[in-house]
Structure formats: C-alpha cells, structure tokens
Amino acid sequence: MERGAPVIELLGVSKSFGGVAALRDVGFVLEAGEIHGLVGENGAGKSTLMKIIAGVHGDYVGELRLDGRETRFRSARDALAAGVGMVHQELSIAPDLTVAENVFLGTQPVNKAGIVQWRRMAEEARRLLAGLGLDIDPQARIGDLPIGLQQMVEIARVLFSGARIIILDEPTSALSPPEVERLFSVLRRLRDDGRSIVFISHFLDDILRVSDTVTVFRNGRRIATSPARETHKAALIERMIGAGHEELGESYRADIRLDSASAAPAMLQASGLSLGRAYRDVSLELRAGEVLGLYGFMGCGQIELVRTLFGKLQPDGGVLRVSGREIQLASTSAARRAGIAFVPESRRSMLFHAEPLYKNTSVSTLERISRFFLKPAREREIARAQIDKLQIRPPRADALVGSLSGGNQQKVGLAKWLSFPPKVLILSEPTRGMDVGAKEDVVRIVRGLRDEGLAILVASTEPETVLSLADRVMVMKKGVVVREFKNEVISKDRLLEAA
Amino acid sequence: MSASLTDEKRRARHAGFAALLRGQMRNIAPFLTLICLIAFFSFASPSFVTLDNVGNILTQVSVTGIIGVGLTFVILCAEIDLSIASVANATGIVVAYFTAQESYVNIANLPLPGAVAIALAFLACTGLGVVNALGITIIGIPSFIMTLAMMQIAAGISALLVRGQIAYKVPDLVSTLGAGSIGGIPWIVVVAAVLLLVGHLVLTYTRFGRYIYIVGGNREAAEYSGLNVKLIIGTVMVISAICSGIAGMLGVAHFGSAQQNEFDTYLLDAIAAVVVGGTSLFGGRGGIGNTIVGLFVLGVLNNGLDHVKIDSFLKILIRGLILLAALVINVYAQRLRETAED
C-alpha cells in the first residue's frame, strides 16, 4: 500500500441508538502509514465511529470503503479478517496464561496430530515482540507483567492476526510516562512500516505528540481534521466544546464562580491515601454544607477512590477521618454506620429491580426503622415522603423499581440514604445517561441536600456534571490529584486543560 | 405531551400486570404440578387418598422438611449447602454417642445425661455450620466447594464415632419427638410444621428475613447499600446446619438407629424440594411456602409411586425426570423475570 493512500473511507455515516443520534452524516478518511488522533468529549461519537470500523456495530447508515472498495463488517471477526483490529481500554488478555499463549490466543500453532507446538509458539512470540522492539520473556505469566507490557502483548496479538489498521482506545490512561514513551515508539515503528493507527484519547498532550493528523468530534459530528503540527491544545479544546452556545445545556462553556464555605467542620478527611496502581497519595477534606467535585478521565483512579471512601476497597496506606475521628472502613456496612452514604454509578449495583419501591428506599436505614420485626406501613410512609421530596414518578410506594424510568431509578438509589440523613454523601456519576430534565432535577436535589448541611462528594468523568454541582473541584489525573479549583472562576476548558 | 403521558401510564400498567403474572409463574407451576400428581395418583390407586396415607406422606416428608427450612434460607441468598445430609447424620450420631447404649452395642461411647447429650449435639452442628460460614465469608471459598468439603468432614466424624457399628438409643426427649405421637399426630410432623412456620415468619416479617431476600436479589447492590452481606450469609449457613442437626437427631429416633450414610438420600431430596417448589437457585425469589409445595410434590411422588404397580427401578428415573422438569421451569421463570426487569 502506497503511503498516503486512503485505506479507510467513511461517507455520510449516521448511527443512532434508540432514537438518539450518536453519529450524524460523518465523513472520515484514514490514510496508509499515519497515526490519526481522535478527540472529543464523552458521547461525541468517536467510539461509535471506531466500533463501526472495527465491525462491532454492523447496523448503520452510510458507506464504508476499505482500499476504495465498499464493504460492511458484520462482526469484529469480519473486520479482523479484513485487517482491522482494535485494542480496547479494558484489555482482553487471559491473565493466567503465558505471554506466548496470549499472543496466539485461539490460533495456537499445532502439528498434524493437533498437538500444540509450544516451542514454535514461544519462538514466534519472541520474534513478534522483538519486531516491536520489546524484549519480553514469552514464557512469563502475563498477569505478572506491568499493564504497559500487557498492552504491548495485546497489540502484538492484533498484529499477528494480520491487522494493518489498528485502533487504540485510550491506550495511555493507565500508563506511566516511560511506558507511554515505549508505546509511542512502537506506534511510530508500525507507522513507518506502512500501517495505519487510530489513537483515541482524552489526553490531548499525548495525541499531539504522537499523531500525524488530529480529528475532533462533537455531538456526533466531525468538526475538524488538521495536521497535528499545525494545531495546539487550546484550539482542540475550543473545537471539542464548541465556541458558541449551539447545544445549550449539553455543551455550555459559561464561567462558573466557585465559592467554598470554609468555616464548617470537616466531615470526611483523607490524607495520603494510596491503593496499588489505582491512585497514590490522595488527600482531601470534605466539609459540611459543601459539594466537592472530583473530576478526571475514565481510569484516573476516582472510581477506586470513592469505593475506598465507602469501605468497599481497602487502601494500602493513608489515614481516613470521619468527623475528625480516625477510622478504618473494613466494609461498606462500617462506612454506613460511620455516616457515609454512597450511590454508585451503575443502577444495577444500587437497586433491587424485582422489589417494590418502598423496600428499596428503606434498605439502608432499616436498622433505624425496625429493631426486629418489619414495619411495612412505616416503610411506605418513608417511601412516600421521599417520593414527594425527590419527585419520583410514578408516585407509588409499591411500584416495582424495575418498571421505573432510568432517571427515577437513580432518584430511588439516592432516596434510600435520605430518610435518616447521613453525614457524608458520595455520588459517583450521578447524571450518567440522563436527559436534560432529569439532570436539572439532580442539580436541584443535590443543592437542596447541601443546604441542609450534608457534605457531598460528586465524582464524575463529565465536566458538566462537576461544574453544575460543585462548590470546589479537584482534578485527578492518572491516580494523582493534580489541581484544585476553589474561590475562583472556572470553565470547562480550564477543567479539561488541567486533566 | 399528554397523549404520550397516558401512553406511558398504560404501558406501565401493562408491564406491571405482565410482571405480576411472570412473577407468579414460579409459584403457580409447582402448585399445578402438585395438583396434577395428586389427581393422577388418586385416580390410579384407591389406597392413595386415605387418611392413613396422608399421615404417611406427612411423616415421610418431615425430616426433609426440617432440613428444607434452613436450606431455603441458604438458597434464597443464592448460596448452596451440600453438607446438610452429612451434618444431619453426624449430629444424630453425636446425640447417640453421648447416650447409654445397650450392652450388645460395641461402640466405645460416652454416656451422659440426656440434656447434656442434646446440648453437645447442638454444639456439634452449630460448630460445623460456623466452619462453613467462616470458610465462605472470611476465606472466600465458594459455598459449593466449602460445603462439599464439609460433607466429607461431617461424614468422617460420623464414621469415627460409630466405626461401622450401629447405635440405637437416643435421649428420651429426642426419641419422643422423633418417634412418638400426640393425639394421633406424630411429633416429628408437629416439629417440622412448627419449624416451617417459624422459618416463614422470620423470612416474611423480620428485618433479617428482608435482608436475606435483598442479598439474594442483588448482592452487589446489597453491599453498596451498606448491608453486612458476609454476616447475613454466615448466619444462614449456621441456621442451615442447626436445622440439619435437628433433622438428624429426630431422624435417628424416627429410624430407630444411628449409623453411617443413613441420611444420604436427604441431600438431593432437600435440594429438590426447595427448588421444585419454585425458590430460585439464583436467589431472592421464593420462600417457605414454595418449599412446602416442593416437599409435597416429592412426598406425593415418592409415596404415590409405591401405590401404583411400577418397576421400582423405573421409579428412580421418573423422580429424576420430574426434578429436571422443575429445574427447567425454574430457569425459564428466572429468564422471564429478567426480561421483565429490562
């Protein structure tokens, strides 16, 4: 393939999920021998586009051309057979197998009798990895290797399957700076061999450093494509979030003034918390009557951090204090008894779908409602009070939670903590997947709770969520708190810049 | 706007009704099975529907029923206990071991007063249950494997105590409750009924019972709701062992002997009764009411097959097929429920 010739062309591609447009009339060209950076906010459509190219979504409008010929991939296997491979953010390795076995997963070399040729497999794996400039023992158990090397092995597997087009989704989010360097040198080597690479990332510095071309997506549209040499970070952010206020409520960039209440007592204090590779040396202080926003990209360690604060994960080091008293949270029930409430990001892990609403809203406070025998009448009364307060629809205490809409389920997940208010409320992705109206409800509810004196922590990967709720914002990046915004004016581009 | 709202309401109501039907599916199916079986055997054999035979069936299901109370708790939590029969056997042997035996019984046992023997037997089954609980919750062994090991351990204790011999005597209280009767009703039926009732009340009307359904319904959500999931699971494992222990003591009195491998068939019978009754192996759905229906399905089947002329070897196969059918219904009902939730 001649360098610079288009290998993948997309013409007028649209795709929607249940009536919501994810891609609108998108054109995209990937050339042979280029590294193509792809940026955009969550939900901008970049992942959907790549999943079309990688065969995950076969059902779309528009045309996909491979080497100039129209084609349509029905499955990831289809796409791989045609030379398109994808490495997802969540690696799909088998941790207990060796490096060689992972490279040849499902395609082990066998002799005529069907016996696996272990030696040949190890030699070929070594040769493949050496071709990437890597010296990895093919017999090592892959789970023992650092994440960066595991990723390399996965890339080697995709290459071995014959991929000429490799799509990498957020490959640098879990890597240390030297590991990022090694990845980049491998990518450059592949590019110089004439292969094409798509590099999706939130880390704009990484994108600008390694890419030849950068494309920006916003709200399902391709906004701009330009040579990486001719653009810079501020321009990319500007294009990602949109200069005008065209999509009000979804992509505003209004400046927000953070006013932090300071005199209130600290309800939750963490100092020097660390947990493996997830996060390091995190210190924070959460005061009564304030909302602290915790912002960072997927995989920055905030999910693990909030789980630690609720006793689900145990930290390797650091000290945790609730109302000034040092405490070790050995379990979630210990956290609950200490006055900490937690609403996880997925509804599946906060609700009991087959149970009626009133049993869901009483589950965390049942100890306060009944000593031994249940009091269903009292539980229903409590449920009705929460239904009124949070405007849950339908307003029936006996409605099955599984039959409620997503936004209302989210409210139920919150309501179960509120009949006996906790000291600290931790919300993880409180507005994920909500429409504008439901988001406004959440903002109203959280502000109301803050004004009642709760200390609230909101962790999110969506800048809008953090900006619309928080009085103070901490930004996490690759497991470390890198910036705190307080008593100052903040806007979305400054937040993105910090992360 | 208003049109779409009423539309939504109608859909919600429709979904609610469908969900109700689907939810009841697991209760209706076992009950229909039971009625069909009773109808069939009543028709096929004149000796089946007699007062005597009803008494027989009740007595025959009592030991299974007592074990089934604890097992229902375990399965509602989406766990399993494979050690029930062995623990029952071991407890029965322990209570006999500490009772004075006739001189011809060749067991080096340790005669103690009846109350002490009973207390030691309770201690034994509770201890075994605690080991199960610790293995599952603290060490993190899946209950299937943990209780499989306990099955062997309890069988080993039984073997060591009786060394291939048979003991006959148990304390008077145990012997009355296991083999005696009051006003024509066997005590063992009364005990089973009382335990089933207590189990039902605990599951339905207490906080602990609610927690069992919650943990079985969605363990992750239970944990994120701040429940002490490990404590709840540990407790039901201990309850299961104690129920098995009671069944073991009364069973030994009922059979008139204490020996190895005496309860082996009760493992499958108890699991079958709970599951055939419609309690979900995936947890969170079902209850003692289901277990009672399941007990009678098995009891009527076992007893009825004795009343009709049928190859006794074929009987085993038929039992297996009925169990399979019930499991298929169980999985199918679970799937219906999941689609209803989505």
Side-chain angles (χ1 to χ4, degrees):
Chain A
M1 180 63 51
E2 191 186 326
R3 180 168 305 262
V7 282
I8 290 268
E9 285 169 281
L10 289 159
L11 301 164
V13 169
S14 298
K15 165 86 188 161
S16 54
F17 296 100
V20 182
L23 286 178
R24 311 176 211 213
D25 194 22
V26 169
F28 179 79
V29 176
L30 180 65
E31 294 174 358
E34 73 163 346
I35 300 177
H36 198 129
L38 218 54
V39 299
E41 295 187 82
N42 294 336
K46 52 191 194 305
S47 294
T48 309
L49 186 74
M50 288 308 117
K51 282 180 181 166
I52 286 175
I53 297 179
V56 179
H57 298 314
D59 164 32
Y60 56 90
V61 179
E63 198 178 318
L64 168 64
R65 287 189 192 156
L66 179 70
D67 300 327
R69 274 194 310 280
E70 187 178 352
T71 180
R72 183 176 289 249
F73 301 132
R74 300 288 171 188
S75 66
R77 184 184 288 255
D78 238 19
L80 194 56
V84 182
M86 187 158 177
V87 176
H88 293 270
Q89 187 174 8
E90 301 293 326
L91 297 180
S92 54
I93 56 158
D96 288 321
L97 300 187
T98 66
V99 168
E101 283 174 294
N102 269 284
V103 170
F104 292 97
L105 210 59
T107 55
Q108 290 139 319
V110 292
N111 64 17
K112 280 183 189 137
I115 307 292
V116 175
Q117 297 173 301
W118 293 101
R119 185 175 302 179
R120 202 181 123 207
M121 195 160 111
E123 276 163 13
E124 282 193 28
R126 191 187 292 281
R127 195 175 50 72
L128 261 168
L129 291 166
L132 296 177
L134 300 166
D135 179 27
I136 303 176
D137 177 11
Q139 310 287 8
R141 180 180 169 275
I142 198 167
D144 296 334
L145 298 180
I147 275 267
L149 291 182
Q150 296 180 9
Q151 191 182 44
M152 293 295 171
V153 174
E154 181 141 338
I155 293 174
R157 176 165 78 205
V158 172
L159 286 175
F160 170 71
S161 322
R164 323 176 264 130
I165 297 152
I166 300 158
I167 302 164
L168 299 162
D169 190 8
E170 287 290 352
T172 59
S173 61
L175 301 187
S176 63
E179 287 176 323
V180 170
E181 272 318 311
R182 188 175 48 209
L183 172 69
F184 285 178
S185 77
V186 167
L187 296 186
R188 291 194 185 102
R189 189 185 285 241
L190 292 173
R191 173 194 59 194
D192 297 341
D193 287 348
R195 297 185 213 248
S196 310
I197 292 158
V198 179
F199 186 100
I200 306 174
S201 183
H202 280 107
F203 297 100
L204 302 180
D205 296 322
D206 290 347
I207 288 269
L208 287 170
R209 226 168 62 224
V210 75
S211 307
D212 303 307
T213 315
V214 183
T215 292
V216 181
F217 273 82
R218 181 172 80 236
N219 287 320
R221 292 199 174 84
R222 184 173 63 88
I223 299 300
T225 299
S226 51
R229 259 175 285 109
E230 292 166 23
T231 188
H232 50 91
K233 199 172 173 184
L236 286 182
I237 291 176
E238 172 113 6
R239 287 177 193 148
M240 278 165 64
I241 62 186
H245 293 96
E246 46 201 293
E247 287 90 14
L248 197 70
E250 282 181 56
S251 197
Y252 64 90
R253 54 176 312 217
D255 292 344
I256 290 173
R257 203 178 153 72
L258 299 175
D259 295 307
S260 312
S262 54
M267 305 307 287
L268 182 70
Q269 291 160 290
S271 52
L273 280 190
S274 297
L275 176 63
R277 280 187 72 93
Y279 59 83
R280 291 176 302 287
D281 197 26
V282 172
S283 299
L284 59 84
E285 201 170 68
L286 186 58
R287 295 178 179 279
E290 74 163 349
V291 181
L292 171 61
L294 191 62
Y295 174 74
F297 299 137
M298 200 87 77
C300 72
Q302 54 160 310
I303 291 212
E304 289 83 359
L305 178 63
V306 293
R307 276 166 175 58
T308 310
L309 298 177
F310 189 57
K312 169 75 177 157
L313 298 174
Q314 271 65 48
D316 301 333
V319 179
L320 206 57
R321 286 192 178 80
V322 177
S323 309
R325 226 156 33 91
E326 193 175 324
I327 194 168
Q328 296 217 334
L329 300 176
S331 67
T332 57
S333 62
R336 175 177 58 82
R337 269 187 234 106
I340 302 172
F342 178 57
V343 182
E345 54 287 327
S346 121
R347 286 173 202 130
R348 197 161 273 285
S349 45
M350 68 171 95
L351 297 172
F352 306 92
H353 290 261
E355 302 287 353
L357 199 155
Y358 77 90
K359 291 187 185 175
N360 273 275
T361 50
S362 67
V363 60
S364 294
T365 52
L366 214 49
E367 277 174 18
R368 313 280 278 272
I369 299 168
S370 76
R371 280 193 67 78
F372 186 77
F373 286 107
L374 293 169
K375 294 175 185 153
R378 176 108 175 77
E379 285 178 58
R380 287 196 174 86
E381 199 179 294
I382 282 170
R384 277 192 287 271
Q386 293 301 329
I387 287 169
D388 283 348
K389 188 174 175 186
L390 304 185
Q391 303 276 305
I392 297 169
R393 294 289 171 270
R396 290 191 296 117
D398 285 279
L400 278 188
V401 162
S403 68
L404 266 53
S405 73
N408 281 301
Q409 290 187 351
Q410 191 92 17
K411 289 180 187 173
V412 174
L414 181 59
K416 71 177 166 197
W417 295 105
L418 300 181
S419 46
F420 295 90
K423 294 175 187 161
V424 176
L425 175 62
I426 300 171
L427 306 172
S428 185
E429 301 289 3
T431 59
R432 179 181 282 178
M434 284 187 169
D435 59 35
V436 177
K439 281 182 182 171
E440 278 168 9
D441 278 357
V442 170
V443 171
R444 185 178 49 77
I445 291 164
V446 171
R447 293 235 169 98
L449 294 171
R450 174 196 64 188
D451 295 342
E452 287 170 22
L454 256 66
I456 302 173
L457 179 67
V458 173
S460 180
T461 55
E462 295 171 14
E464 287 85 358
T465 305
V466 173
L467 290 175
S468 58
L469 289 169
D471 301 313
R472 192 154 64 86
V473 178
M474 288 171 69
V475 179
M476 278 184 85
K477 183 177 183 177
K478 300 190 177 181
V480 190
V481 175
V482 289
R483 179 88 162 81
E484 181 174 353
F485 294 95
K486 61 176 175 184
N487 293 318
E488 60 189 301
V489 172
I490 186 176
S491 59
K492 198 160 136 185
D493 44 1
R494 292 192 60 201
L495 199 58
L496 286 169
E497 178 98 41
Chain B
M1 186 67 204
S2 69
S4 76
L5 254 182
T6 52
D7 223 38
E8 201 168 281
K9 237 182 235 168
R10 200 178 311 137
R11 212 179 316 129
R13 196 180 311 144
H14 179 73
F17 183 67
L20 188 76
L21 253 187
R22 285 165 171 165
Q24 290 309 308
M25 175 73 185
R26 73 169 56 251
N27 297 329
I28 296 167
F31 203 70
L32 283 180
T33 313
L34 178 59
I35 289 173
C36 290
L37 285 174
I38 292 175
F40 172 75
F41 287 120
S42 310
F43 182 73
S45 156
S47 58
F48 179 74
V49 256
T50 58
L51 204 57
D52 271 359
N53 197 41
V54 172
N56 283 340
I57 294 176
L58 286 176
T59 313
Q60 283 160 7
V61 300
S62 289
V63 173
T64 318
I66 295 169
I67 297 176
V69 175
L71 189 64
T72 305
F73 281 49
V74 173
I75 292 182
L76 279 175
C77 277
E79 298 288 344
I80 190 71
D81 187 347
L82 300 179
S83 65
I84 39 180
S86 297
V87 169
N89 206 347
T91 312
I93 285 175
V94 165
V95 86
Y97 185 82
F98 292 117
T99 307
Q101 299 293 332
E102 304 290 352
S103 55
Y104 58 82
V105 174
N106 190 18
I107 297 176
N109 70 334
L110 196 69
L112 291 171
V116 179
I118 293 172
L120 286 173
F122 269 110
L123 201 67
C125 61
T126 309
L128 296 178
V130 168
V131 173
N132 271 339
L134 294 179
I136 292 165
T137 59
I138 306 293
I139 304 175
I141 306 170
S143 57
F144 187 92
I145 305 294
M146 180 64 221
T147 57
L148 196 64
M150 180 53 69
M151 185 166 123
Q152 285 296 306
I153 292 169
I157 292 171
S158 303
L160 276 175
L161 289 181
V162 292
R163 296 184 168 274
Q165 303 296 309
I166 301 174
Y168 299 95
K169 292 284 259 189
V170 290
D172 290 344
L173 176 65
V174 174
S175 134
T176 308
L177 290 181
S181 59
I182 174 171
I185 301 169
W187 267 111
I188 195 165
V189 174
V190 176
V191 172
V194 168
L195 286 177
L196 284 163
L197 180 67
V198 170
H200 175 70
L201 295 178
V202 167
L203 281 176
T204 317
Y205 297 107
T206 69
R207 202 176 77 200
F208 176 62
R210 169 73 61 77
Y211 284 161
I212 288 176
Y213 282 100
I214 289 288
V215 167
N218 185 344
R219 180 165 307 178
E220 195 185 359
E223 201 172 343
Y224 283 125
S225 300
L227 300 195
N228 196 336
V229 173
K230 288 181 175 176
L231 182 66
I232 293 158
I233 289 175
T235 309
V236 300
M237 295 315 293
V238 175
I239 289 175
S240 174
I242 292 175
C243 287
S244 298
I246 296 172
M249 285 189 262
L250 300 197
V252 162
H254 187 67
F255 306 139
S257 68
Q259 55 186 309
Q260 273 173 257
N261 302 352
E262 195 169 29
F263 287 76
D264 286 2
T265 56
Y266 285 93
L267 170 59
L268 281 179
D269 273 9
I271 294 177
V274 173
V275 176
V276 167
T279 294
S280 169
L281 276 170
F282 305 98
R285 297 278 104 182
I288 296 292
N290 296 80
T291 299
I292 293 173
V293 173
L295 281 171
F296 281 114
V297 168
L298 282 183
V300 165
L301 190 63
N302 284 340
N303 176 286
L305 287 172
D306 288 339
H307 282 260
V308 294
K309 290 274 175 291
I310 198 166
D311 184 349
S312 63
F313 297 105
L314 185 61
K315 203 174 130 177
I316 303 171
L317 180 62
I318 290 176
R319 272 168 42 101
L321 290 175
I322 300 253
L323 179 59
L324 177 65
L327 289 173
V328 169
I329 291 171
N330 196 308
V331 170
Y332 190 61
Q334 173 73 18
R335 247 180 240 152
L336 276 179
R337 185 178 141 222
E338 271 170 6
T339 50
E341 277 169 26
D342 284 341

